[in-house]
Each structure stands twice: as structure tokens, then as C-alpha cells.
Amino acid sequence: MATVSLLNVAVRNNPAQFTSPYEFEITFECLEPLQKDLEWKLTYVGSATSSEHDQELDSLLVGPIPVGVNKFVFEADPPNTSRIPATEILGVTVILLSCSYDDREFVRVGYYVNNEYMDEALAAEPPAKPVIEKVRRNILAEKPRVTRFAIKWDSEE
Amino acid sequence: MRFTKPLWLHHAGEKKDHEVYSCHVSPDGTRLATAAGDGHVRIWSTEAILNASDSAYTKPKQLASLSYHSGTVHSVRFSPNGKYLASGADDKIVCVYNLEPGAPAHTTFGSKEEQPVENWRIFRRLIGHDNDVQDLGWSHDSSILVSVGLDSKVVVWNGSTFEKLKTLSQHQSHVKGICFDPANKYFATASDDRSIKIYRFTSPPPNATAYDQTSNFTLETSVTAPFATSPLTTYFRRCSWSPDGMHLAAANAVNGPVSSVAIVQRGNWESNINLIGHEGPVETCAFSPRLFSPRPHGEQQGATVTIVACAGQDRTLSVWNTTFPRPFVTTQELAAKSISDLAWSPDGETLFLTSLDGTIAAVVFETGELGYPVEVGENVKALAKFGAGRRVGIIEGADSLRLEEGSKAGELRGVEGRMGELMGDGPAQTGALVNGDAETAAVKPNGVAAEPTLAPPKDPAEKLKQRVTITKDGKKRIAPLLVSSSNTGEAKLPRPQLQAAVGAGGHASDEAAGKILDLSKPYDGLPKGGIASLLLGNKRKYAEVEADGEEERKRGEKRVAAVQATGAVPIVHNTADGLVPASASAGAAEGGKVEIPEVLRPAVVSSSLSVSQIRLAVPMVRSVILRPLDTDHDNNEASIVFEARNSPPRPGSRAQDREPTRITLTRRSNSPSQSQVLWQDFLPRPAVLCTGNRHFWAVACEDGSVHTWTPAGRRLTNAMVLEAQPVMLDCRGWWLLVVTAVGGVFVWDMRGLKAKFGGGSVSLAPVLDAASTAQGQGHLTAAPSLMFARLNSQGVVVVGMSNGDGFCYNGDMGIWQRLSEGWWAVGSQYWNTSDTSHTQTSTKPNTNGNILDGIHAENISAGLLPYLERHTTSHALLRGRSFFLQRLVKNIISRPTEGFENFEATVSVAHLENRLAAAYTLSAREEFRVGLVMYAKRIGAEGLRGKVEELLTGLMGEGMFDAVEDGETEGVEWGSKEEIVGWPREVLLKEVVMVLGKHRDLQRVVVPYARFLGVVDAGGGGGMVVDG
């Protein structure tokens, strides 16, 4: 059984500008005292075709963790557009929010993200070089895909 | 008979349903719990299942889904009191859940689960198995939970605190089934070692710990006959006990070549009845919880019958009735794979079954189909003859009953008193806190437990206060906001240790205990690590035999060495010159005359003999030695300081030619100018040590002389001249203690000017482990250092060594006695020096200012034993000086080998006896009483009848004994006076009798004493309670 279970993730600013930071309010429950911190990580999948465009947007250590239900806000910078192929910026992609304990990942939450122009003219005829400022990001917050992994916690040694 | 299998009743998987391993119905019949390969435990409404065909039924179907296991869940069981649900899985863990009030807060995030209806929360995770947990069982009074697993272990858990009470490792192979006797006397475990083992138990109280349950849960018998060739291919061997307690149905039995269900008879444990017909091994069988009568209620009822359902790998369900030789129902169409579990609803007429094909189904029998269920009262009646509803043992008389009640009332008072203390108010408000449940309620207002609701904050945009810090390796780190301390952890039910800790907190721990410590103040100048000591061996050199020169001598030594090599002891003569081989030329030269050794040293130094085998480190000569008078708390007043000022050696002169040493007693006040010299004296030799109190002052000089003064500065005695330099000087009351460099211990009574010990001094040699180290070594060896040597108010010397041992000198017996040692620290369950339970004196914090050193009659040796045990802890355990002993004992305790099964219990009892003897020797009043009660509790729990009998006789003493019975007193008793260590015999006896009174198997021994003491009202004497 997992010592830490993810109870809820609320996306705070959604939809938002492509360039605005990501904000997640994360609620989790800890059942036993932990010796180490939890490390949360947000990854932006830049391209559907290859993992080389994946960007780790931010990582954050959370601790010390009291036993009980805890929450915190995870803020992460937007992706660096220079590292994303121009053709891949628009459209549907994925962000991954993962958490690991002692370098062992135990939960991963995937969200679909839709990036599109706000004004219809641009949307109808997108320019060759995307106008980042006008791109709106919409996280499909109500359909997270959660994968849980069984890992070794402190008490199971 | 109606068969219901709703479509929605499954553990859904991606392609097909997960295999379901277990099901159970809650004791109120409203919920069905199922466990499956998806790691989930699901709780369903039985009402919804039974009304599945009714489209108008809209109430919730699934009530909760619990996903706390990381693997396949093999077993799920509600506790019969309805409070808990337990599940065991192949992640080796047993989870215990409880139903919290309030709405459930959330689903598992991100899953497609339905919103739960009931707020089932994980309550405990029980870690104790090394492999898959295969089955679980609760006792019928819910006092214990037993889990069995593929690690061949049977683990017994406390049903209230969920502390592990005992691990039974008697099975030789996987254990796959467990069931409880409804009469609460046995449980049966079924294993792949082709046996069912029946364990006998008595229900432990809610606050039971592993310590007092060591003699509970004993193997009654092992049933092997029906399983001689039973296959090992089943998942489970779920057995069942009939509701009347008469029979045990054992799954996966064989009768010759055919598989069967064996019905084992209670008592003789024979299995003459076999239910034959299943074509494959039977995984599970379940008795209906009701007794049935062939005729409806109200009519003439015949003999009641029981109903048992069996199912297994042949996918067939059979339902048997004890009056017919054939099954009442057999059906093969219920499942496509083997059936894994069966559960009856409490009304006894609905059966739920689960199968590995994912089926969860209900079989509803029409009224009268199975017979007519008789009232539940009949079950109780049927069970009464097996002693259900009461503890084992028979009350043998009215006196016993009264004694038992009195004993329990005493315990209850104890609990209430503790709770009141915990809550910080009088006992009046804590009315009926009897068991664990009540404690929960009582502790909650302390603010430990939070509100059980977990509702998310109303405004999600509420700004959380969090500050980002950057760690060393440049990562951002924040501390999360605690929304609610969950209901899972310790907050719910404080463990016994936790309570002890709270209690200790109120007593300010060690320091408070130290206040009533009846010991002289530690000597200030003691070096770190204690006073080093050296031992001189007894071995003597071989004599220089000059007669035949070098070769002859060598030959003699060689011969001795050769003899030694074979393991024999060479015969040598102990001559004045040294050792000589027996037949060496030296002996022969004297014409066979028998040589009488002129010098003989005993191997073990008698404490009254010469002591020169020891060398203790001598303190340095310091220029100034100060000793303030111990005052109580009047720091503002002028303090009195005793000072010995040695002059430095004059340059150019001999070392011994110093100026005289100046001794002054000054009254010091806050401003140095107001310091006032009370008296002054001079000594010709440098002072090494000084001490003093209200009664006298003493200085020990470098040349081994001890000078004493009255408080006014008169010389109290002539200089007392010691055999060697003093290494320690201490005083308490009128007692003065000196330890010399050669290990002599002197104690004088300065009022009567008498020596405490007959021969003047006693030797420290025995304490320094001389007996074991000094043998056969011709050179100096290091002995354990002397950590402290102090006096109590009776002039008893107490010594602590660096190896953790603590000794006192018993003047009456003329011997050093070891009161505390590392052996108890590692072996005994009672070794807990932070626990204040045996230091708490119920009365009088020592506030009488008029007697400064706190010497009271009732304070003799107070706190001394705990002090010595703490010393042992810090040296033997914390500094790891007994590391190997510790490892050895741990090994023995963790896997008991042949002959060591009772190691821990035996050592614990011995430790208590040792403590008791020490308290008696030291005349430690409070410790003796507390130790006695603790000891009585333990030997009572262990059922050590012989020890109990002897203890009671000993307490009774000769004077009182004739009053009880006219037998002769035998065995050891404590003294012959009316009092034992300051307690009247009756008081102690009464206390012990009250403690022992609740153990029925000991009542025959205890009751005569209780009767004598008048603990039971003598009035109703003769009336026997005929019971069972």
C-alpha cells in the first residue's frame, strides 16, 4: 500500500495564456512519517513523435511531511518555446505531473493540453511562425490519467 | 432457492473481470465486502444485490472501494462487533478499516470509481508476515484478529490496539485457513503441512500487550488424519466452526483417494464424518450461523440441525444438513472457475459466493427450505456447555467470585485514576472508562484527534501560505500545509506506551526521580569514564631452579606446557620462590619431603583479606579543592564553602617539601568582600580529596591520612591512616566513605566512631571481575572502571562499573551483590528505565527542609534501583558494551531454538525476582512494593502456581501462618518480623492477593489467603457456585 496517496489535483489557472506559469493545487494524504522529501516534477511533452523535446518545467521538493492530509501549490514555468518544434506548438499535447520518493516514482498524472489561438482569424489561418502571445492553453483538467506504481517506502525495509 | 448474480457486482478489469478471492457479510447483514485481484476491497449493499432484479430500486449499490493494498487481496473479514473490516493481501500486509461518520471526501483521484457512499477509512496497517497473507479471522468477541499466511506463520493481533500479541510458528508449511470457535475458546488453522492445528486461547483484555500474553494461545492439538494425501494445489483451506461449537468442517480433506470435507468433532478431535461428493479439492466451507429446526417456530421443535455449505475447484456448491447423509443442494452452474469463498448472512438463509472467474453471487433460500432457524438464544445455550461467554476456569466458590470482583474493581480504579491523571482532572468526571473504546472518546478532547471530516476548503483559490526554500543542491523545497491530521495514525487510539509517556511527562522524568534518590552526591572530581583499575593476576612465575642449570629448568617448563596442551592441569608445587613442577629435581633433592607451600593466595579474593591485587587510579593533587555545603534551594543566602588549598612545590626543593596545606571554611555571599572565614586549619601534606556535610568535614591527604573536623572546626578524630592513597571520599549523613588505591572500601559511622564493616574495610576486588579475569595471568590486566561509589543513608555502599554492572555490599552476608547487569537489560521485558512506574512514590515529595539530606525512614534507598538500572542502560546498552550479549539474546528471542522457547519469559520473571531481592537487601520500601505487585502480576499471568504459592507463604510469614491452615511453612520467606521492608505483612499480602485474584486457575491457592485477610466477606462462606 502506498504510504502517500494523491487525493486531488486542481489546476488553478485554466484556461490560461500559453506563457503563463502552471499552477497546481495538490492534495495528498500521508499515512506514515516519511524520512525524506517528496519530489514533484512537471514535464511538458513537446512533441508527440519523440521524447527529445520533452521539457522538465520544474521540480519541487515537498517536506517535511506531517502524517495526514496535506496540500500545497506547485508552480511551474511555461515551456521554453525555442525548444519546441514550431509545428508542434499548436494542437494537443500532454503534460505529466509525477511524484517520486527517494528517486522512486510512485504516481504519474497525465493531462491532455490543447493549445490554440484565441482569435478566430488566427485560428482559421495560422501563421507559419506561431504567435506565442496569442496562444491559449487549455488543460483538460477533468480527465486526468493517473498511473500508480508500487514502490518501497520507509516502513517496508 | 433463488440465485442472484447482478451484472454490476464485479471487480471490473480492462478485458475481463478480476478474479474474486474472498467475501464476507457484515454482522448486521447490510454490507458485503469482496476482495479481488485488482487489489481492491469493495463494499456492497446486500439490499441492492438482493433487489437487483427490481428496476425501481435506486439506492446505492457499491458503498465504498478501498484500494490500500498493492497486490491481490486474499481475504476480507468484518469484525463481529461491526467496528472494523480487515483485509489481508499478497503484499504481506493486513489492513484494518473502520467506518467513519460523515460523508466520504473523495474518490481515488483519477480513477473511474464511483463516488463512495460510505466513509470507510484505513485505520491500521499490520506488518508481521513475511509472505502473502492468505486468510484472516476475528474471535467472536472481536478481542483478537488472527492472520495466517504463506510464511507458515499465524499472527495474533489485539482487536483493540492492533498490537501484535503473538506469532505462532508451529506450522511446517503455508497456512491457508483460519476459523474461530464460537465459544471463544479455540481457533483452528489449516495448513499445507496437512494438518489443522487447534489453538486454545483466553480473550485478552483491550489493553493487553505482547508481554502479558506470552502464555496465551497455546497449541491444543493437531489434526492430521483426514489430510494424509490432501493435494497442495488449493488456494485456500477455509475451515468453519459450527454455530453450536460441536464440529469443525475442514476443507480439502481426503477420504482414501477421493476429496472430501472432514467434520472434526470438538473435544476428541476425531473426524469420523466425511462429506464426500466433490470431484475436486474443496477450497472453502462455511456453516450457516444459525441453528435450524425441521419445524416452524412455535410448533414442537425437534433436535436442531446445522447447515454447512462447501465449494471448491470442481466449481460445485453443495449444501449439507447434519441430519441427511446426502447434500441438500448441489449445483455446478454457478461459476466457470473454482469457487474461492463462501459467506452466510447473519439470518442464515442467504449465502454469498465468489469465484476466480470474477463471479460474485448470492443464493437465497426460501423460508423452510433449510429448515426453520431457531432463535439466536439457542446458539448461546448450545455454546454454554463449552464455556462460552466466560473465561476458562471455574469459579469454585462464592469467595473466589468476590475475590475476582474485588480484583477487577481494583484494576478498574487503577484505569480510572490513570485516565483522570491524563485528562488533568479529578477521577469524578471520567466515569466509565473501562475499555479501549472509551479511551478513544476520552482522549479526543485533548485535541490530538482532528475532526474526521476532510471537506476540501470552500474557496480553492484561497492563497496558501508557502515559502519556497532552496536546498543545498539547488532544488526548491516547500513545506506542505497540513489540512487535517488524518484519522489513521496514532491519534485515534493512543498506544499503551504513549500513555506511559504522558504519565512520565507529568513527573518531569529522571530529574524528579533523582530528587528522592537516597544516595550521596556524586563526587565532583571523578574523571570521565570512571576510575581506571588494574588487576594483578594470581599466576606465579616458575622458580629459578639453579641446580641443573638452564636446560633442566626449561625441561621442567616444557613438561608443564605439554601437560597443559592436553588440557590437563599440571601439578606444581607452590614454593616460596615460585612454582616448581611436582617431580622436578628441586623436590627430589629434598628427599621426598612433602613441601608445605609457604605462600598461598586464594584464587578469589575474600573481601576481608589482603587487597593488593588491585590498583585504582589516584587523583592528581590539585591546587585548590572546593566543596560547597549542599543546601536546599536557598541560593540567595550565603553559601558555605569548604576549601583545601595546596601550595605549589617550591622550585629547587624536593617534591615533598611543600608549604603546609591550608584548610578553610568560608561563608560566601554575593559580594566577595563580605566573605567570612569561619575557621581555618593547616595540614602538613597536600590534600587530594575533601568532602563534608552538615555533620562533619573530611580531607584525605596524599599520604593516605584522613582528617575530620566538626562543623565548628574542631578535629573530630586523630588522623586516620590508610594503607594506600585515597581515590574516593564521600559522605552521607553520619557516614564517611573512603576508597583506597588498592581497592579497600572503608565506611565509618562518624557519630559512633565505628567502622561499618567488621574487618575495617572490604575489598573491591570481587566487583572488578577479579574472579574471571585474574586467573592465570601473570601480568596486569585492565578491569572495568569504577564509575561511582556512593553511600545511601544507611551507609550501604553502592558501586557502578563501566561495564554496566551495579553492586552493593551486603553487610549482613559480608559479600558484594550484583543488583543490576546487562543480562537483564537485554533479556528482560521489564527493562525500561525511562518508565517511571517503579520510581513513582505515591506520597511525599521530600519537602521537609529541616533534614537537609532528605534522610527519612521511609526514604531509605529510594530511587536507588532505578538509578542503578539507568546506569546499566547507559553503559551496557547505549554505549554498546554488551553488544555481543545483546545480539545473542536477540537471536534467541527472534527464533526460539530447542530448549530456549521460554527464554524471554523466564528471564523476565528472573529479572523481577532479582529486582525484588535487591529492594529487600537495600530496604527500599517503595520499590519493594511496586516490584512485588509487578512480580505478582507476571507470575499470575504466567500461571506459575508453585511460585505463587511460595510467594504467598513467604509474605504470610510464620507468625500469621497458623491462622490459615495448619500446614508447615516451607521455602524461603522474607524475614521473621511483623514487617517486610517497612510494610506490614498484611498490607503486602493483601495487595498481592488482589492482583492474583482474577486468575481463576490460581484461585484455589489464593482464596484461603483472601479469606484470612477478610478481602472477601466471610459471611456466605459455604455456598458453592455450580457453574457449567
Side-chain angles (χ1 to χ4, degrees):
Chain A
M1 190 192 75
T3 302
V4 172
S5 49
L6 185 61
L7 298 183
N8 193 32
V9 177
V11 187
R12 297 255 294 237
N13 53 348
N14 190 39
Q17 288 280 353
F18 186 83
T19 49
S20 57
Y22 291 84
E23 277 185 44
F24 297 96
E25 182 182 301
I26 297 170
T27 313
F28 65 94
E29 180 172 20
C30 177
L31 297 169
E32 278 164 20
L34 293 177
Q35 286 166 8
K36 302 196 177 75
D37 288 349
L38 294 177
E39 183 170 13
W40 296 81
K41 205 181 279 182
L42 187 67
T43 311
Y44 184 87
V45 179
S47 162
T49 51
S50 107
S51 62
E52 72 185 84
H53 300 295
D54 288 4
Q55 287 185 37
E56 185 186 310
L57 298 183
D58 208 346
S59 78
L60 177 70
L61 291 173
V62 175
I65 298 167
V67 172
V69 177
N70 294 282
K71 73 172 169 184
F72 67 99
V73 173
F74 184 18
E75 286 190 356
D77 296 330
N80 181 351
T81 47
S82 65
R83 288 176 53 195
I84 307 172
T87 51
E88 302 272 2
I89 286 183
L90 288 179
V92 174
T93 183
V94 164
I95 53 171
L96 295 173
L97 175 69
S98 69
C99 184
S100 41
Y101 179 72
D102 201 14
D103 288 333
R104 296 184 287 267
E105 185 180 3
F106 65 92
V107 68
R108 178 188 294 177
V109 184
Y111 287 101
Y112 287 111
V113 180
N114 190 21
N115 296 322
E116 60 191 357
Y117 286 115
M118 279 172 287
D119 77 60
E120 287 177 15
L122 277 172
E125 267 183 50
K129 188 178 180 335
V131 188
I132 301 295
E133 302 75 48
K134 298 236 169 118
V135 175
R136 190 179 68 166
R137 162 188 89 202
N138 191 356
I139 301 172
L140 195 58
E142 56 275 17
K143 288 269 172 63
R145 295 292 294 264
V146 183
T147 320
R148 291 182 167 85
F149 309 97
I151 64 158
K152 188 171 80 71
W153 298 88
D154 287 340
S155 60
E156 286 146 30
E157 284 163 36
Chain B
M1 185 181 113
R2 194 159 57 84
F3 178 71
T4 311
K5 185 183 167 187
L7 273 178
W8 45 263
L9 188 58
H10 63 163
H11 286 245
E14 299 259 316
K15 294 194 179 73
K16 59 182 178 59
D17 292 347
H18 286 282
E19 59 276 31
V20 185
Y21 287 93
S22 183
C23 64
H24 199 233
V25 185
S26 68
D28 61 356
T30 57
R31 300 181 186 91
L32 174 75
T34 57
D38 59 354
H40 280 69
V41 171
R42 292 178 197 276
I43 301 171
W44 312 86
S45 159
T46 49
E47 196 188 356
I49 296 170
L50 300 178
N51 290 303
S53 54
D54 182 358
S55 55
Y57 186 86
T58 52
K59 288 195 204 160
K61 301 176 180 97
Q62 182 178 317
L63 302 177
S65 157
L66 305 165
S67 162
Y68 293 96
H69 283 293
S70 63
T72 298
V73 189
H74 286 143
S75 183
V76 60
R77 295 288 180 258
F78 284 100
S79 70
N81 62 7
K83 272 178 78 174
Y84 301 112
L85 172 67
S87 65
D90 70 1
D91 59 1
K92 308 167 194 170
I93 284 168
V94 176
C95 286
V96 180
Y97 317 89
N98 66 337
L99 180 57
E100 294 274 330
H106 45 76
T107 53
T108 311
F109 174 70
S111 67
K112 292 181 279 299
E113 291 291 336
E114 297 172 43
Q115 180 71 19
V117 180
E118 290 186 335
N119 190 13
W120 286 88
R121 306 273 307 165
I122 180 133
F123 181 68
R124 282 288 147 79
R125 301 174 69 212
L126 311 180
I127 302 170
H129 281 281
D130 302 329
N131 208 333
D132 300 12
V133 179
Q134 210 68 5
D135 204 4
L136 293 169
W138 294 86
S139 69
H140 282 251
D141 59 357
S142 301
S143 62
I144 52 171
L145 168 68
V146 176
S147 58
V148 300
L150 299 188
D151 56 358
S152 312
K153 280 188 194 159
V154 177
V155 183
V156 184
W157 310 90
N158 184 325
S160 304
T161 59
F162 294 100
E163 194 175 332
K164 193 195 295 174
L165 292 181
K166 203 169 182 183
T167 301
L168 307 162
S169 327
Q170 274 127 329
H171 275 296
Q172 308 295 315
S173 184
H174 308 159
V175 192
K176 292 178 168 175
I178 159 109
C179 70
F180 269 86
D181 165 23
N184 242 344
K185 202 166 172 185
Y186 303 109
F187 60 84
T189 56
S191 161
D192 270 357
D193 62 7
R194 297 193 169 100
S195 75
I196 278 188
K197 292 197 191 293
I198 315 279
Y199 290 92
R200 176 192 280 271
F201 74 100
T202 38
S203 296
N207 58 354
T209 60
Y211 296 159
D212 47 20
Q213 297 298 317
T214 45
S215 61
N216 208 344
F217 318 115
T218 48
L219 181 63
E220 174 85 5
T221 189
S222 190
V223 180
T224 53
F227 309 104
T229 58
S230 85
L232 307 180
T233 54
T234 53
Y235 272 100
F236 304 109
R237 289 169 180 267
R238 288 184 163 137
C239 40
S240 177
W241 214 298
S242 69
D244 57 0
M246 284 293 287
H247 301 105
L248 173 69
N252 196 4
V254 284
N255 188 348
V258 285
S259 59
S260 77
V261 173
I263 304 291
V264 180
Q265 181 98 21
R266 185 198 189 93
N268 61 8
W269 311 114
E270 281 173 11
S271 52
N272 298 326
I273 308 167
N274 275 284
L275 309 181
I276 296 174
H278 278 281
E279 285 163 10
V282 175
E283 297 261 1
T284 171
C285 45
F287 272 100
S288 165
R290 300 293 287 268
L291 296 170
F292 291 87
S293 156
R295 278 172 287 277
H297 192 63
E299 291 178 36
Q300 173 79 44
Q301 296 194 345
T304 53
V305 296
T306 51
I307 309 282
V308 60
C310 313
Q313 290 187 348
D314 60 356
R315 310 186 283 275
T316 303
L317 171 73
S318 63
V319 181
W320 305 69
N321 172 325
T322 39
T323 50
F324 292 112
R326 294 181 180 284
F328 168 75
V329 174
T330 55
T331 166
Q332 297 189 335
E333 280 113 46
L334 294 182
K337 281 186 181 168
S338 76
I339 294 173
S340 53
D341 204 0
L342 296 167
W344 288 90
S345 68
D347 64 12
E349 292 182 297
T350 308
L351 176 67
F352 293 89
L353 61 93
T354 58
S355 163
L356 299 189
D357 69 348
T359 301
I360 305 169
V363 181
V364 184
F365 295 92
E366 302 293 329
T367 309
E369 256 182 319
L370 295 171
Y372 297 89
V374 299
E375 283 175 40
V376 184
E378 289 295 316
N379 287 23
V380 179
K381 253 188 240 169
L383 291 173
K385 63 173 173 282
F386 303 120
R390 61 186 166 87
R391 294 170 71 97
V392 286
I394 299 162
I395 296 200
E396 289 180 347
D399 286 353
S400 314
L401 187 65
R402 278 192 215 102
L403 175 63
E404 190 172 315
E405 280 166 0
S407 171
K408 283 181 178 159
E411 261 184 16
L412 182 63
R413 266 199 306 281
V415 171
E416 284 175 4
R418 254 201 315 279
M419 290 309 297
E421 204 175 291
L422 263 180
M423 300 293 294
D425 53 24
Q429 293 180 14
T430 57
L433 298 176
V434 193
N435 54 19
D437 322 345
E439 279 176 34
T440 322
V443 170
K444 263 188 179 166
N446 274 349
V448 186
E451 285 295 306
T453 51
L454 291 174
K458 298 272 186 302
D459 177 15
E462 161 203 34
K463 189 68 191 164
L464 298 171
K465 287 193 198 103
Q466 54 185 35
R467 213 178 57 218
V468 178
T469 52
I470 308 292
T471 63
K472 277 196 292 266
D473 43 358
K475 285 184 172 164
K476 287 197 284 185
R477 181 182 194 228
I478 60 165
L481 176 82
L482 183 63
V483 178
S484 79
S485 59
S486 66
N487 314 320
T488 54
E490 276 83 338
K492 195 70 192 173
L493 187 71
R495 303 211 172 135
Q497 296 94 306
L498 219 69
Q499 287 182 7
V502 172
H507 284 266
S509 71
D510 280 14
E511 296 311 310
K515 269 192 184 151
I516 47 159
L517 180 62
D518 179 27
L519 267 189
S520 51
K521 284 276 162 20
Y523 169 60
D524 52 343
L526 212 58
K528 201 179 173 191
I531 293 177
S533 64
L534 288 173
L535 292 175
L536 275 66
N538 291 337
K539 185 175 167 185
R540 304 196 61 206
K541 279 195 182 134
Y542 284 94
E544 297 276 342
V545 183
E546 283 161 27
D548 296 326
E550 198 70 347
E551 294 99 44
E552 179 68 17
R553 188 169 64 86
K554 280 200 176 142
R555 221 170 49 218
E557 280 184 30
K558 257 186 213 156
R559 216 165 51 218
V560 172
V563 174
Q564 274 173 333
T566 64
V569 177
I571 299 164
V572 290
H573 287 301
N574 198 357
T575 67
D577 301 326
L579 294 173
V580 175
S583 55
S585 52
E590 287 177 42
K593 204 175 79 188
V594 178
E595 199 175 317
I596 300 160
E598 290 172 44
V599 189
L600 249 184
R601 275 191 190 150
V604 178
V605 186
S606 156
S607 49
S608 58
L609 274 182
S610 163
V611 290
S612 56
Q613 276 189 308
I614 302 173
R615 295 288 179 273
L616 292 174
V618 180
M620 299 254 291
V621 176
R622 289 169 291 170
S623 56
V624 183
I625 309 165
L626 289 175
R627 171 86 189 199
L629 185 66
D630 298 327
T631 45
D632 265 352
H633 21 58
D634 40 5
N635 287 333
N636 302 332
E637 295 175 31
S639 57
I640 290 176
V641 177
F642 187 74
E643 180 180 339
R645 191 173 285 273
N646 294 320
S647 311
R650 226 181 298 162
S653 67
R654 291 182 301 163
Q656 60 265 47
D657 290 343
R658 297 180 180 218
E659 283 184 0
T661 298
R662 205 171 60 204
I663 311 288
T664 46
L665 188 71
T666 33
R667 182 192 299 278
R668 290 194 181 175
S669 60
N670 292 338
S671 61
S673 59
Q674 287 172 1
S675 290
Q676 184 193 356
V677 175
L678 293 176
W679 54 264
Q680 205 170 30
D681 203 347
F682 296 94
L683 290 175
R685 299 282 171 207
V688 185
L689 299 162
C690 70
T691 187
N693 58 20
R694 286 257 143 142
H695 303 301
F696 61 88
W697 296 100
V699 164
C701 296
E702 199 186 27
D703 64 346
S705 59
V706 178
H707 304 266
T708 52
W709 289 269
T710 61
R714 290 185 301 123
R715 295 254 184 156
L716 190 59
T717 57
N718 300 100
M720 297 181 282
V721 186
L722 302 168
E723 63 211 323
Q725 287 105 321
V727 298
M728 220 177 244
L729 188 67
D730 209 347
C731 65
R732 178 154 179 89
W734 281 99
W735 300 101
L736 175 64
L737 163 81
V738 178
V739 180
T740 67
V742 293
V745 177
F746 294 85
V747 177
W748 297 295
D749 173 10
M750 296 313 288
R751 180 150 55 178
L753 298 178
K754 276 195 212 111
K756 165 104 174 159
F757 307 124
S761 76
V762 294
S763 172
L764 271 180
V767 167
L768 293 172
D769 220 7
S772 59
T773 51
Q775 287 277 7
Q777 288 176 354
H779 50 84
L780 287 170
T781 40
S785 302
L786 186 63
M787 297 308 292
F788 64 84
R790 292 160 77 174
L791 285 169
N792 80 348
S793 54
Q794 300 267 290
V796 174
V797 187
V798 177
V799 174
M801 311 306 297
S802 63
N803 58 4
D805 292 357
F807 297 86
C808 85
Y809 190 79
N810 185 335
D812 294 339
M813 293 176 74
I815 192 77
W816 287 99
Q817 290 183 330
R818 182 160 50 213
L819 305 188
S820 168
E821 58 177 312
W823 168 255
W824 308 122
V826 296
S828 168
Q829 297 163 336
Y830 289 91
W831 195 270
N832 179 8
T833 47
S834 63
D835 183 7
T836 51
S837 64
H838 61 290
T839 65
Q840 274 177 20
T841 43
S842 48
T843 47
K844 83 270 157 179
N846 177 16
T847 48
N848 296 11
N850 53 350
I851 306 174
L852 249 175
D853 295 318
I855 299 168
H856 295 257
E858 72 262 33
N859 265 356
I860 295 168
S861 302
L864 231 164
L865 277 179
Y867 180 80
L868 282 176
E869 294 206 343
R870 277 200 299 276
H871 170 79
T872 305
T873 305
S874 70
H875 286 277
L877 295 184
L878 303 184
R879 309 215 176 135
R881 292 218 163 96
S882 60
F883 176 73
F884 288 102
L885 181 63
Q886 219 169 335
R887 213 171 50 177
L888 195 83
V889 169
K890 279 242 171 71
N891 251 341
I892 292 175
I893 291 173
S894 62
R895 26 185 154 291
T897 41
E898 194 63 36
F900 285 94
E901 293 88 349
N902 294 325
F903 178 83
E904 204 174 9
T906 312
V907 171
S908 302
V909 170
H911 175 222
L912 289 180
E913 284 164 356
N914 184 64
R915 223 187 233 177
L916 211 52
Y920 182 71
T921 306
L922 292 170
S923 326
R925 197 164 179 266
E926 201 63 36
E927 272 96 346
F928 185 79
R929 191 184 62 87
V930 173
L932 187 66
V933 171
M934 216 184 244
Y935 178 60
K937 268 186 193 153
R938 180 59 187 246
I939 58 175
E942 299 260 350
L944 301 168
R945 176 187 279 258
K947 289 193 177 188
V948 167
E949 214 161 342
E950 210 174 85
L951 179 74
L952 290 169
T953 333
L955 283 175
M956 194 75 161
E958 246 171 275
M960 284 154 71
F961 200 85
D962 296 341
V964 179
E965 48 192 87
D966 35 28
E968 68 278 16
T969 53
E970 47 189 49
V972 188
E973 56 185 83
W974 279 292
S976 51
K977 293 185 289 275
E978 280 299 293
E979 291 198 334
I980 306 174
V981 203
W983 296 96
R985 281 177 185 275
E986 268 193 66
V987 171
L988 293 178
L989 188 57
K990 194 165 177 176
E991 211 156 339
V992 169
V993 164
M994 290 313 277
V995 166
L996 292 171
K998 66 169 189 227
H999 298 285
R1000 287 206 178 149
D1001 41 344
L1002 296 171
Q1003 276 173 352
R1004 194 169 289 193
V1005 180
V1006 179
V1007 164
Y1009 293 91
R1011 214 173 275 156
F1012 167 74
L1013 290 168
V1015 177
V1016 295
D1017 307 318
M1024 288 288 285
V1025 175
V1026 184
D1027 218 354

